[in-house]
Every structure is written in structure tokens, then in C-alpha cells.
Amino acid sequence: MQEVSLLKQLTLAVMRGQIRASRDTHRPGWHLAPSVGLLNDPNGFIYHAGYYHLFYQWNPLDCRHGSKYWGHWRSADLIHWEHQPVALVPSEEYESHGCYSGSAVIADDRITLIYTGNVKYPDGSRTAFQCLAQENERGEYDKLGPVLPLPAGYTGHVRDPKVWQHDGQWYMVLGAQDKQLQGKVLLLRSNDLREWHPLGEIAGSGLGGLGPFGYMWECPDMFRLADQDMLIFCPQGIAAEAERYRNTFQAGYLLGQLDYTKAAFDHQAFHELDAGFEFYAPQTTLAADGRRLLFAWMGIPDEDELYQPTVAYGWIHTMTCPRELSLIDGKVIQRPARELQVLRREHRQWQGRAQEAPALSIRSAEMIVDVSAPFILGLGDEMMLVWDGERITLSRRNLRTGLQEFRYWRGQLQQLQLLCDSCSIEIFINQGEAVMTTCYFPTEDPIAIFNGNAELRLQHWLLSSPMLE
């Protein structure tokens, strides 16, 4: 009965809110966004039987982080997406305060979801259960209930299971906080997805030479990339430095080798995945052709979300574009998924001094800039990118304070690739050596304006808007 009631509320919210949301000039043309309400973490990203499936954290009832459902899209090509039945509704006691993030695997030729059931108590304490749900013949998901209670030695902050198969066994990494309030990643093993055996902590604050490194590690994802094992995670509680760790919370990775027998992860230093303002909770999957693909939430928890102008239209946040990960000369490279090129239309090229470049529309556009000398790029009326020969400085006005805020990347610049939408810009540096992902909300039809004496070579495309069905 509780599930029926929640679904009725969800249906009413969508029916009341869709028209209002569609009137927002900041509604994205080609990024994935919620019909109404709040979207955050990508979940259960997987390819199966000809379709990519992308589930997502969704509060359809508000633009705040309340009780979370799992929405569900699918696509045959990463471009044209269609809504699927809502996958998870927080209707059971073991998920009373939200169906939190998780992943998906293929078991018995069906998609099986592994997620965190979040429970909060009146005294302020909390617990968490790791739960299963399995696809049925109608494309809906039948809950199988909890398969793992809260592990001993940890607070109620244990969540976000990512599961994969290795040598015939299932493995899970879990984000966790120990009783000393230090962030960790736990490794577990199972024969059947239902009975899980803890193997220990494979990474965390105070482990592997990291030193103190945050009070909670969220959204772990572990996979093989070329000849390395890569652990993606989101550490919370890292102090900001002059040019890095500038967001409230980070998203980054460790490269190394996972010893499955010893449950030990010998890894290198931590690196941020994105140098921009909004990038969190990335999750990956394998494409049919073996590429490692990534989506992330274009947002940061506990920042200035409710000051975004889309809230007035009853929706907030989008996904990033899908990205391809590769490892080249020991560096993790992120590039826009090649499928996105089918959105290109009306190609334009130009070469000359920056200050003589034409103003170019960036409401829904892609732009490639080849450059080797300092220049300035104005983006809409809200952002500025300055390349001084040694460092990129990206600045915008903070929606809460009205003051300018800054993000940085340091290195030798040869090329920028900008993917622009009505409320976001994703800036790929040197063919994916680094990325700066940013939300912005221009008040007019946004254009790119170049300045400086640098010689530029520009390519520009308008991007079509695929229908979300």
C-alpha cells in the first residue's frame, strides 16, 4: 500500500510539473535531466541486449534532497533515450528514507540492481542495508530485499555498492565510514549475489600512503582500464588547496593493482577526475565494443543548489555527457563519447587572431579551439576562461553570494573542445587530458567571444536536440 501511495504522489508531481519545467529557457537540449524534481547520482549504468540502461537518483516531489527513487532511461545509441517504468520506490522499512545509489549486473540473463536502503531513526542515528531487485518480464523490478546488513565497525554511512564479476565470483566495493569517522572502501565477495563475505578495507583515509583523506568515501567504482585497476570514488572532507580540491566534495581516482587473493590494492596517488565546478558520483560501464563509458552527476551535494534558477520551474540538475575513458602513457583520458558526433550540424571553420574571431552561438553547440598562445574566452554573460600561457582560470559568478569564483588547470594547452548546452559547458583540454565541467545560467542567448592576439583555429557546430521519449 505504501508503494501505491508513493506512486500516486509521483504521478501527480509529474503531471503538474512537466509543462512548467518545459517552459524553462535553461532546460537542456541534449543532456539528460529529470522531468520534474531533483536528479543526482547516475546508478545501474549497464549495457544489455542491445540497450544502454541508465538509472538515476530522483526526488520527483521536490528540488531538495528528500526521499530518493530510482528513475530509469534506456537507449540503443547513447543519444536517443526513452523513459522506462520507475525502477525503485522507497516503500519498504529497509529503505524508508530512500533507495540510495548502487549498480547493476546481469544475472540469469536479467538486469539485477544492487542498491542501498537508507533508514534514519528519530534519535538522529541511521543504518543501511544493501538490497537486490530483479528485472521482470514487464521491464519492472521486483525487490528481493536486503542481502547485507550494516557491517560491524562502521557508522550508518555505508552505501553505494558497485558489483562486478571476476573469475566466476561476484565482488562488491562499498563506500563506508568507520567508527573513527574516516572514509573507507570495503571489498566483499559472493557466489550468488545473496550471501556476501567481507574481505577487508582496500583503500581509505590513512591507508595506502594517503594519510588523512576525508571522513566519508562515497560512490566507489572499480574496474580494469588497460593494464591497471582503477578505483573511482568521492571523498568528503578534503581541505581545499590553492588550485585543487576547490569544490565542497571531490570526485577522483586511484590507479594500481588489486590483489583479489589478499584483498589488497597497491595504488598510486589520488587524482581528481574533473577540474570544474560541478562533477560528482561518476559511474562507468563497458560498452558492447569494450570501451569504458562514464556518466556523472553535474552537481555537488551540499553546495548552493537551491539558488539555481531552474528551481523556480520545478526541476534541478543534469547528467554530464557520456564519456569514454582510456589510459594513455599512464594518464587517464576522458573524451566525449564518439556517438555524440551525430548531433553535429552546420559546421563552421575560422582561423585568425582571437580578437577578430566571430561571435559564436553556444546555447547548444560544440566548439574545438586549437591554440598555443594566451587568450581570453567569454562564455555567455556568466563565465570567463583565461589562458595565460601556464594556467587556465575558469571563473563565474556565485549564485548565492554574487562574488566571482574560480577553478584552475595548469599545463601546456594545445586544444580545447567545448560541449555546450542551455545550462552547462563541458571543457575537454588537450583531447581529454583534463576536463572542466560547469553549470551556468546565462540570462541571454549565450555566445562565445574571443579576445587577445593569439592565433586560433576554430571549428564550430550547432548541436541538434534528440527527443527524450
Side-chain angles (χ1 to χ4, degrees):
M1 291 299 293
Q2 174 69 2
E3 183 170 70
V4 172
S5 176
L6 291 171
L7 287 171
K8 287 179 179 179
Q9 295 175 41
L10 181 156
T11 304
L12 180 61
V14 172
M15 289 191 297
R16 284 180 171 174
Q18 277 192 111
I19 294 176
R20 180 167 60 129
S22 69
R23 291 173 178 156
D24 190 355
T25 58
H26 292 123
R27 193 81 183 158
W30 57 275
H31 283 84
L32 288 167
S35 301
V36 298
L38 176 142
L39 168 149
N40 57 303
D41 304 4
N43 294 155
F45 184 28
I46 197 166
Y47 182 83
H48 177 58
Y51 287 97
Y52 293 96
H53 294 262
L54 183 63
F55 302 83
Y56 57 97
Q57 291 283 279
W58 184 29
N59 179 7
L61 308 180
D62 201 344
C63 289
R64 301 174 185 270
H65 289 275
S67 190
K68 297 296 175 63
Y69 298 59
W70 273 37
H72 180 194
W73 294 301
R74 77 170 188 177
S75 172
D77 59 6
L78 289 175
I79 301 297
H80 302 90
W81 294 86
E82 56 185 15
H83 290 290
Q84 297 295 290
V86 174
L88 297 174
V89 175
S91 58
E92 308 300 324
E93 289 187 5
Y94 55 78
E95 58 191 14
S96 59
H97 289 75
C99 299
Y100 274 23
S101 290
S103 54
V105 297
I106 306 304
D108 301 324
D109 201 36
R110 293 185 178 188
I111 297 175
T112 298
L113 308 180
I114 305 99
Y115 68 99
T116 298
N118 184 47
V119 178
K120 296 179 181 179
Y121 298 114
D123 64 0
S125 63
R126 63 195 295 165
T127 192
F129 300 92
Q130 311 314 315
C131 311
L132 294 184
Q134 191 170 57
E135 181 185 23
N136 62 31
E137 63 278 359
R138 298 183 303 278
E140 300 168 0
Y141 287 81
D142 299 325
K143 293 176 183 175
L144 305 180
V147 295
L148 182 68
L150 188 70
Y154 298 89
T155 72
H157 292 281
V158 176
R159 53 182 172 266
D160 310 335
K162 180 65 187 285
V163 175
W164 72 99
Q165 205 164 28
H166 175 78
D167 287 347
Q169 299 279 302
W170 296 106
Y171 288 86
M172 174 195 293
V173 281
L174 265 177
Q177 181 186 69
D178 66 19
K179 291 294 183 67
Q180 289 71 48
L181 306 186
Q182 298 295 299
K184 308 289 184 181
V185 170
L186 314 181
L187 182 68
L188 302 94
R189 184 178 62 222
S190 174
N191 293 320
D192 58 5
L193 294 176
R194 288 160 174 79
E195 186 176 350
W196 289 93
H197 305 282
L199 302 178
E201 299 172 351
I202 59 166
S205 180
L207 300 177
L210 281 180
F213 212 75
Y215 58 78
M216 176 64 193
W217 284 22
E218 290 193 319
C219 305
D221 186 355
M222 190 149 214
F223 52 89
R224 193 77 176 165
L225 190 66
D227 62 348
Q228 297 282 307
D229 292 309
M230 183 169 175
L231 175 66
I232 289 176
F233 62 101
C234 296
Q236 298 184 334
I238 307 300
E241 298 181 3
E243 294 185 2
R244 62 175 185 166
Y245 308 155
R246 302 297 301 173
N247 294 332
T248 302
F249 300 128
Q250 279 61 58
Y253 65 90
L254 301 168
L255 287 175
Q257 300 294 330
L258 177 62
D259 187 325
Y260 284 85
T261 302
K262 297 179 180 178
F265 182 43
D266 182 16
H267 60 76
Q268 304 167 26
F270 175 79
H271 296 278
E272 290 184 273
L273 267 167
D274 198 282
F277 288 91
E278 279 91 14
F279 182 93
Y280 200 75
Q283 189 171 109
T284 73
T285 196
L286 274 180
D289 60 7
R291 286 176 295 156
R292 177 62 59 171
L293 300 176
L294 175 149
F295 271 105
W297 168 34
M298 209 182 300
I300 299 286
D302 299 340
E303 283 203 336
D304 302 322
E305 296 168 277
L306 293 178
Y307 292 88
Q308 295 187 11
T310 69
V311 171
Y313 291 87
W315 72 278
I316 187 170
H317 298 313
T318 74
M319 293 295 175
T320 64
C321 75
R323 304 177 182 181
E324 301 179 11
L325 297 185
S326 56
L327 191 64
I328 300 176
D329 297 330
K331 291 184 177 180
V332 173
I333 303 299
Q334 298 178 71
R335 294 184 175 130
R338 61 197 67 176
E339 286 86 347
L340 293 172
Q341 294 179 19
V342 305
L343 298 176
R344 292 172 173 174
R345 58 188 176 88
E346 299 184 30
H347 185 211
R348 182 178 183 182
Q349 298 185 75
W350 183 87
Q351 187 167 348
R353 289 200 304 167
Q355 63 194 34
E356 298 169 356
L360 298 170
S361 172
I362 54 172
R363 175 167 292 281
S364 183
E366 179 180 354
M367 188 163 55
I368 295 178
V369 185
D370 292 300
V371 64
S372 58
F375 74 104
I376 297 172
L377 172 57
L379 298 164
D381 54 355
E382 289 293 326
M383 283 206 300
M384 186 78 71
L385 184 152
V386 178
W387 162 243
D388 65 8
E390 297 181 355
R391 184 178 75 171
I392 288 175
T393 300
L394 186 66
S395 61
R396 71 176 183 188
R397 179 180 59 85
N398 182 280
L399 292 171
R400 177 176 56 84
T401 67
L403 302 176
Q404 289 294 304
E405 53 185 356
F406 305 91
R407 296 294 182 270
Y408 307 97
W409 175 82
R410 188 174 290 275
Q412 186 57 48
L413 178 63
Q414 291 92 39
Q415 185 186 85
L416 295 176
Q417 180 180 12
L418 293 86
L419 292 179
C420 309
D421 210 335
S422 303
C423 60
S424 66
I425 298 182
E426 296 171 81
I427 304 169
F428 293 81
I429 301 168
N430 295 342
Q431 298 184 324
E433 178 184 343
V435 193
M436 303 180 86
T437 300
T438 300
C439 297
Y440 84 133
F441 303 95
T443 56
E444 299 176 359
D445 195 29
I447 56 174
I449 298 177
F450 292 85
N451 240 308
N453 292 314
E455 285 290 320
L456 306 179
R457 186 166 64 250
L458 302 180
Q459 294 189 76
H460 178 270
W461 295 264
L462 297 180
L463 298 180
S464 59
S465 297
M467 181 70 72
L468 176 59
E469 299 177 350

